[in-house]
Amino acid sequence: METSSPTARPLGYVVLYESEGGKTDTAYSPFATKQIVLEDLAHGTVPHGLSRDMATALPGLWYCLHLPSTLSDFVDMPAWLLQAAQYLKIDHQILLIPIDLLHTPQAARFLHGLHRTLVLCPDDLVDQARRLSAELHFALPTAAFSLLSDESLESHWQAIHRHYLPDVSVLSGNPALTRRTDLAPVTLPQARLARQMRWPLLPVTGRDNVNLVSTAMHRQSVLATLARLEREGHTPESVEPLFDGVRRQEAGRLRLPVTLAAPGVAPAYSRTAYSSELRAYMEAEEHSNEIDTWSVEMATRPNAAVERSAIQFVTAHHAIASSGLGLVLPTVPPKAFVELAELEKHFVQGEKPAAVRRLLTRLNGATQSVWTMDAVETIKRASYLTVFSNFPLGLLTLPGDTAPLSARVPIAYRPLTPLTRTLQKGLTTPSSLNLDGKIRVLIAECIPTSDPVGRLSRQGWKAASGFEAPTRHLLSIEQVETLTIDALREAVAKHKPHFLILSAHGAFRDNVAGLVIGDEVCLQLGFDTPPPVVMLSACHVAPRGAGAIAVTDLLLREGVVAVLGTQIPVRVDRNAMIMVRFIANIAEELERPGKHATLLDLWHHVQTLNAVHDILGANKSLYIWGMSEGSSGISNAMDFMARRSVGRLRCAHIYEDTEEVLAEMADEQGVGDKVRNWFKRPGYVPESLFYLMAGRPDRIHFATVENQVNRHVPQA
């Protein structure tokens, strides 16, 4: 990452706190060795689990979000590059660390390749922090929290300019500190844009700001308009007569990254983790509060307010990095987790389509309070969602849609509990991974051949291997037997896969969801070098209704970038179908690149178009009709995918539209009434939507980020 260009190196900030050694288990790990009691509140918050030591750093963390993330923030940027920044994902590089660890290799690795810019700390640590800052050659003097203000922020911008760009004329209008942390996920991502475009900051008045999101969206459409006109090579003189018409077009098709946080903890988790006395003490969780403002004293606030501040911070931090928009939704009601647990439990006993539809309807009813008007309108404009939550929002259906949210838009989940780990992982930014060379796929078979499921899964992997031959120079697929955890670790170390597909049974009991490898239930796989992507071809390894400790989340903590898992038991033949289609689409993207920018985009394509397989695989009669030859000389299923469905499927109505196209095909064959009846009796289950993609699949690219940005470069 070392480079001679100062603007190419991110600015590095350090926020220190003092770790006094007192720990609450649930503030650091999902494993509670003992139930948390009222006295433990001195060390960690409830119900989300934030270390009180770490919470003392919140004033400094929030302050860093108002500072420049790179030196390019000082320079006038063209509109096309500002828009392309959504691909660059420029995080604020903030090291959150106890003061006694600042001299460790961990800190050195983080700071390598960064401009060592500024250390911030609580007042009682300032003398020690100054010595360490000088020894580590930070550019600016250490900043104590009590001295942070609008005036210090202006001084820091000027000092960074003088130190790194003394001979460069820079933009004016440095930002002021936000006074509303609940609105910061909207206002802070727009602050950089406002500075570049010479716009006033978004107006924030009173407690209700119903126009804040719509104003931000309008500004994004103006940016998109200017970027398009620049790309088309228009001169400033020729822009004015075209502007209004182009802006209406860009406003209609505007899409941008959206970050959501949905607080809330499953009641079943609370009963396990917290004593009855502590549960009675817990404050009612609020969406926002009049004390949700930036302050050097914010860490001393009541328990619920401290958690809100941390959740608002991770949302704003991610929204700024993606040059998008963020919202913290109202808390997910406890009843919603109870309904979700009932839904997940239903599949364990065997799916009944009518019951699943009824349970999904109840789930939607229990979560109506989550959907604010701003949230609905923002999600409709999302290019993808990053969701910080313990609840799978993708199973809910937006007002006006007929398919759940995960069909409408790609979703990447980030666990919210324990909040300590969420805060740490949110500040640990993996480098973007470009899969533009040869991709290695390792299929690890953890089910013995004596098991019927093991035999069926191996047949599915044979089909997947068939996609390797035409693209052998771009894709390699290795299948190995890994019937012990040691064999699995050895295989991963040997093959160093980009994609690890773990074919195993899931084990969900005692509110723990793990993998059965051979005859051992495993939660932590312990790879020396974790693969970037792990696909869990296993049942219910990511249940959410009871707040289970899940292998899916633990793999993220081990360093895996993206994990695919299932909330429910899935049939081996259906699971094989979606996994094979996933590999087939990877092969196609490598052979003919350009359709899918990231792994998240590709997964969403597979997930939504698998709706036809959910429907046709629901019963024997539908399957036979789907596989039979139609009027085009190919199977009805193939005809649907290759020709009949093209341009007719709306993601927000994917199942309804799929039914309509299939019924039209059946009408032409004189069996329309039969097929429509099969849709309803016995019906089908939208099983594909019960898969979760967690982590940062948006960081895994099928083309270089540079190539994606270059698509925005104006014409010569």
Side-chain angles (χ1 to χ4, degrees):
M1 198 169 175
E2 295 291 348
T3 174
S4 58
S5 171
T7 58
R9 298 172 64 188
L11 299 170
Y13 303 104
V14 174
V15 180
L16 300 173
Y17 63 97
E18 187 168 23
S19 179
E20 297 180 356
K23 292 186 177 181
T24 296
D25 285 351
T26 53
Y28 286 88
S29 169
F31 299 104
T33 56
K34 61 182 180 64
Q35 202 169 53
I36 308 306
V37 298
L38 191 59
E39 290 76 14
D40 290 320
L41 280 180
H43 304 300
T45 65
V46 291
H48 293 95
L50 176 65
S51 157
R52 279 287 181 182
D53 290 345
M54 192 175 290
T56 62
L58 283 170
L61 291 174
W62 271 108
Y63 187 86
C64 287
L65 293 188
H66 298 76
L67 294 168
S69 58
T70 70
L71 294 175
S72 61
D73 286 339
F74 287 93
V75 182
D76 191 6
M77 307 288 285
W80 69 267
L81 189 53
L82 292 173
Q83 188 185 42
Q86 292 177 0
Y87 295 101
L88 296 174
K89 298 181 177 65
I90 305 172
D91 293 70
H92 278 82
Q93 299 293 318
I94 308 170
L95 176 61
L96 173 63
I97 195 167
I99 192 167
D100 56 351
L101 298 181
L102 188 54
H103 256 313
T104 62
Q106 172 194 353
R109 285 193 298 271
F110 183 93
L111 294 170
H112 177 71
L114 302 179
H115 289 299
R116 300 185 179 195
T117 305
L118 177 64
V119 175
L120 304 97
C121 66
D123 287 37
D124 57 345
L125 302 180
V126 70
D127 290 338
Q128 184 181 356
R130 282 173 178 158
R131 290 195 300 273
L132 290 169
S133 175
E135 291 170 10
L136 295 172
H137 307 292
F138 277 80
L140 275 59
T142 297
F145 287 176
S146 65
L147 300 179
L148 302 180
S149 63
D150 287 336
E151 291 73 25
S152 71
L153 186 61
E154 175 68 26
S155 296
H156 281 134
W157 274 81
Q158 292 178 5
I160 293 170
H161 171 209
R162 288 193 303 270
H163 185 85
Y164 294 112
L165 301 171
D167 301 321
V168 176
S169 177
V170 300
L171 293 169
S172 60
N174 297 329
L177 284 167
T178 181
R179 298 302 175 190
R180 291 280 301 276
T181 58
D182 56 333
L183 299 178
V186 178
T187 58
L188 285 183
Q190 297 301 308
R192 178 173 180 266
L193 178 60
R195 186 169 181 270
Q196 286 281 341
M197 305 299 290
R198 281 75 166 178
W199 291 335
L201 295 175
L202 288 178
V204 179
T205 57
R207 293 307 303 170
D208 297 317
N209 289 273
V210 294
N211 295 321
L212 199 60
V213 169
S214 61
T215 303
M217 290 291 188
H218 171 76
R219 290 183 170 188
Q220 288 284 349
S221 70
V222 172
L223 174 65
T225 301
L226 295 172
R228 173 177 162 185
L229 292 170
E230 285 180 358
R231 290 195 303 272
E232 292 175 354
H234 292 283
T235 63
E237 294 75 21
S238 64
V239 163
E240 187 171 348
L242 301 171
F243 186 87
D244 287 343
V246 174
R247 196 201 67 78
R248 284 192 294 271
Q249 293 176 10
E250 292 301 316
R253 65 187 187 187
L254 178 67
R255 296 293 182 270
L256 71 163
V258 171
T259 306
L260 299 178
V265 171
Y269 176 82
S270 293
R271 287 193 299 271
T272 301
Y274 307 126
S275 69
S276 57
E277 183 185 22
L278 182 53
R279 294 199 303 275
Y281 177 84
M282 286 183 193
E283 305 154 62
E285 297 176 51
E286 300 178 80
H287 179 204
S288 63
N289 188 287
E290 62 183 9
I291 65 172
D292 289 345
T293 57
W294 183 87
S295 165
V296 295
E297 304 295 332
M298 63 199 317
T300 64
R301 291 171 179 166
N303 184 79
V306 172
E307 287 201 341
R308 278 199 309 275
S309 179
I311 293 170
Q312 291 158 0
F313 171 82
V314 296
T315 309
H317 178 263
H318 190 274
I320 294 167
S322 61
S323 299
L325 199 80
L327 291 173
V328 178
L329 304 180
T331 299
V332 178
K335 181 175 173 55
F337 284 98
V338 174
E339 296 287 5
L340 177 60
E342 284 296 311
L343 176 60
E344 292 173 344
K345 182 180 177 182
H346 169 81
F347 283 91
V348 177
Q349 301 163 348
E351 65 186 52
K352 293 181 175 59
V356 171
R357 287 196 298 272
R358 184 174 66 253
L359 289 166
L360 282 170
T361 299
R362 283 168 44 183
L363 188 64
N364 281 316
T367 52
Q368 286 303 299
S369 60
V370 172
W371 298 128
T372 64
M373 184 183 303
D374 278 348
V376 172
E377 293 307 310
T378 300
I379 290 169
K380 288 180 178 179
R381 294 292 189 177
S383 55
Y384 69 92
L385 296 177
T386 300
V387 176
F388 290 90
S389 185
N390 300 317
F391 189 87
L393 292 179
L395 282 182
L396 306 181
T397 302
L398 278 188
D401 290 357
T402 59
L405 182 59
S406 56
R408 169 184 271 275
V409 63
I411 303 177
Y413 288 97
R414 308 273 286 278
L416 201 53
T417 304
L419 190 50
T420 295
R421 297 302 187 200
T422 303
L423 193 56
Q424 289 173 322
K425 293 295 288 185
L427 294 172
T428 306
T429 307
S431 300
S432 293
L433 176 62
N434 297 319
L435 298 177
D436 54 347
K438 187 170 184 176
I439 295 179
R440 298 182 298 277
V441 177
L442 176 64
I443 300 170
E445 186 54 76
C446 304
I447 307 174
T449 54
S450 57
D451 187 321
V453 173
R455 291 196 296 273
L456 286 171
S457 68
R458 285 168 175 80
Q459 292 173 13
W461 304 135
K462 285 183 181 179
S465 298
F467 296 109
E468 177 189 21
T471 57
R472 193 177 298 278
H473 60 297
L474 298 171
L475 176 70
S476 68
I477 300 176
E478 296 286 345
Q479 185 176 353
V480 296
E481 300 286 317
T482 54
L483 300 182
T484 67
I485 187 66
D486 287 339
L488 175 61
R489 291 168 182 158
E490 289 170 7
V492 169
K494 176 183 177 182
H495 294 282
K496 297 179 174 57
H498 298 102
F499 288 78
L500 171 64
I501 301 176
L502 267 170
S503 176
H505 284 303
F508 180 28
R509 52 182 177 267
D510 300 325
N511 220 24
V512 171
L515 292 169
V516 180
I517 300 177
D519 56 2
E520 181 182 357
V521 177
C522 299
L523 273 171
Q524 295 174 300
L525 302 186
F527 299 125
D528 289 336
T529 303
V533 183
V534 176
M535 299 163 59
L536 300 177
S537 180
C539 293
H540 51 201
V541 288
R544 291 291 185 260
I549 299 164
V551 63
T552 313
D553 299 338
L554 296 182
L555 280 167
L556 296 178
R557 295 189 180 105
E558 287 191 38
V560 175
V561 179
V563 182
L564 179 67
T566 59
Q567 285 182 252
I568 58 173
V570 291
R571 271 178 34 182
V572 62
D573 54 339
R574 295 177 187 168
N575 181 67
M577 171 71 75
I578 199 167
M579 291 292 178
V580 168
R581 289 191 61 240
F582 199 178
I583 294 175
N585 275 268
I586 291 173
E588 182 179 348
E589 181 64 31
L590 296 175
E591 188 72 11
R592 294 181 292 277
K595 187 175 182 181
H596 306 292
T598 68
L599 176 66
L600 183 59
D601 296 330
L602 187 145
W603 163 246
H604 184 249
H605 172 77
V606 172
Q607 186 177 35
T608 51
L609 294 191
N610 211 59
V612 67
H613 297 291
D614 287 342
I615 294 172
L616 294 179
N619 64 75
K620 187 175 181 180
S621 298
L622 265 175
Y623 180 79
I624 291 172
W625 177 78
M627 295 302 107
S628 64
E629 184 176 314
S631 57
S632 299
I634 57 176
S635 72
N636 288 314
M638 288 296 297
D639 192 23
F640 172 90
M641 290 184 284
R643 188 171 65 92
R644 300 297 294 265
S645 66
V646 176
R648 297 196 54 189
L649 303 180
R650 299 165 296 169
C651 287
H653 305 276
I654 190 72
Y655 287 91
E656 182 180 77
D657 290 352
T658 298
E659 280 190 34
E660 183 177 346
V661 175
L662 290 173
E664 285 179 8
M665 296 168 61
D667 283 338
E668 295 169 7
Q669 300 167 22
V671 292
D673 290 341
K674 278 186 179 181
V675 169
R676 287 186 179 88
N677 187 57
W678 291 333
F679 291 158
K680 295 179 175 60
R681 290 184 293 273
Y684 59 87
V685 171
E687 186 176 272
S688 302
L689 303 185
F690 287 86
Y691 285 77
L692 299 179
M693 182 67 84
R696 302 192 179 190
D698 55 302
R699 291 268 180 181
I700 299 175
H701 298 264
F702 288 104
T704 65
V705 175
E706 181 182 6
N707 286 343
Q708 293 178 49
V709 172
N710 284 342
R711 295 175 188 173
H712 294 263
V713 175
Q715 298 174 0

